[in-house]
Amino acid sequence: MSRRALIAGNWKMHTTVMDACHLAADIARLCADVPDRDVLLAPPFTVLSEVSHVIRDSAVIVGSQNVCWEAKGAFTGEISPVMVKDAGGAAAIVGHSERRQIFHEDDALINKRVRGSLKFDLLTILCVGETLEEREENNTFAVIEGQIRQGLAGVDAVHMGKVVIAYEPVWAIGTGKTASKEQAQEVHAFIRKLIETMYEKTIAEQLRILYGGSVKQDNVDALMAQQDIDGALVGGAALDAESFGRIIHFR
Ligand code: 13P
């Protein structure tokens, strides 16, 4: 089963309008010759429109780093799926470990976001991942299973075509410590099997599972060669056009 690779850049809380426009333009240029893979940029809310505008004639798509479940209303500090689309976005990241850990978003809240995002037809990237402590206590699979079962609660099979799962071990994010290709593959295979038991085999086979956590130009090829790794969610290295360009051109 071949799945189309997806390389996503999560810009986190970086970039002014000017930085963002330059970075997006450079990336769009570097993507011009990669027709067989998808490239997604997730800039801060404040520059979604500008970045969408800059990449409009390229194959790059844009998404938000989080999303609310309602179209509008009294939700101070949030962004709605309608606003994401209005700004030119087609995707949303949900449940990033920084949202879980720093802002205490739990699985029930993340599930509302996932369902809201899917209701408005956004490509929805659900992030999951264990902490170092959870890994050392041999709880990795239990943690991942809980996050996926709760994150996807109430999501029916017809919407699974718009779901992407990103496995991001918390201990590998921004630390320079990447999961080994074997460690990542093991969890990705587990996730695919879990989706098969929750849904069905074809849905599991079509699901794209991204790896995130210190993906760099010098480790991307080995990670992408793994059977169940279908792409990358890149943080730090996505802020440098040259590095991200090399990651997009993984071999
Ligand atoms: P780094 O690539 O900086 O480790 O960040 C990964 C990440 O959190 C992407 O969402």
Side-chain angles (χ1 to χ4, degrees):
M1 174 80 219
S2 76
R3 293 170 289 269
R4 194 174 159 88
L6 170 62
I7 304 292
N10 174 8
W11 292 3
K12 306 192 180 183
M13 198 172 72
H14 294 282
T15 68
T16 59
V17 174
M18 204 193 287
D19 301 336
C21 290
H22 284 139
L23 182 56
D26 288 346
I27 291 169
R29 199 162 12 81
L30 290 165
C31 285
D33 61 342
V34 282
D36 67 335
R37 49 198 68 167
D38 295 329
V39 177
L40 167 75
L41 301 180
F45 303 149
T46 49
V47 294
L48 268 176
S49 290
E50 282 86 353
V51 170
S52 300
H53 185 73
V54 169
I55 56 85
R56 69 194 179 285
D57 294 325
S58 77
V60 178
I61 63 166
V62 169
S64 61
Q65 296 174 17
N66 204 356
V67 73
C68 190
W69 49 91
E70 292 288 346
K72 62 180 175 179
F75 295 92
T76 301
E78 290 285 326
I79 184 169
S80 89
V82 173
M83 292 168 175
V84 173
K85 291 170 91 164
D86 185 49
I93 295 173
V94 175
H96 191 279
S97 68
E98 287 148 18
R99 299 303 316 172
R100 294 176 187 266
Q101 301 223 308
I102 305 170
F103 300 100
H104 306 293
E105 293 197 9
D106 63 11
D107 288 307
L109 180 73
I110 290 162
N111 175 246
K112 284 174 92 166
R113 295 190 186 281
V114 167
R115 286 187 290 143
S117 176
L118 290 170
K119 185 169 149 202
F120 290 92
D121 208 32
L122 293 174
L123 183 72
T124 303
I125 304 177
L126 170 64
C127 302
V128 298
E130 81 287 2
T131 61
L132 185 58
E133 195 182 13
E134 289 163 342
R135 175 163 280 267
E136 285 173 346
E137 288 170 355
N138 285 326
N139 282 330
T140 298
F141 295 125
V143 168
I144 302 292
E145 177 164 354
Q147 289 173 340
I148 290 180
R149 284 193 185 276
Q150 293 174 72
L152 294 179
V155 173
D156 49 15
V158 291
H159 288 116
M160 284 303 290
K162 280 278 187 172
V163 171
V164 171
I165 292 180
Y167 169 56
E168 298 204 302
V170 177
W171 48 272
I173 296 177
T175 57
K177 265 192 229 161
T178 325
S180 68
K181 57 187 193 306
E182 294 81 9
Q183 282 173 321
Q185 166 58 26
E186 185 185 31
V187 177
H188 282 230
F190 171 80
I191 292 172
R192 200 175 304 286
K193 203 80 207 147
L194 174 63
I195 294 295
E196 185 180 329
T197 60
M198 290 169 64
Y199 295 92
E200 57 188 70
K201 199 174 171 72
T202 44
I203 287 177
E205 281 175 349
Q206 284 161 11
L207 176 75
R208 289 188 290 185
I209 308 173
L210 315 184
Y211 169 78
S214 299
V215 174
K216 305 275 183 257
Q217 54 196 57
D218 54 8
N219 59 25
V220 67
D221 297 340
L223 287 162
M224 290 303 298
Q226 301 302 302
Q227 195 183 343
D228 291 293
I229 300 185
D230 309 310
L233 182 52
V234 187
L239 292 169
D240 178 76
E242 203 178 309
S243 302
F244 193 62
R246 171 63 187 85
I247 292 169
I248 292 164
H249 289 85
F250 71 85
R251 291 184 274 265

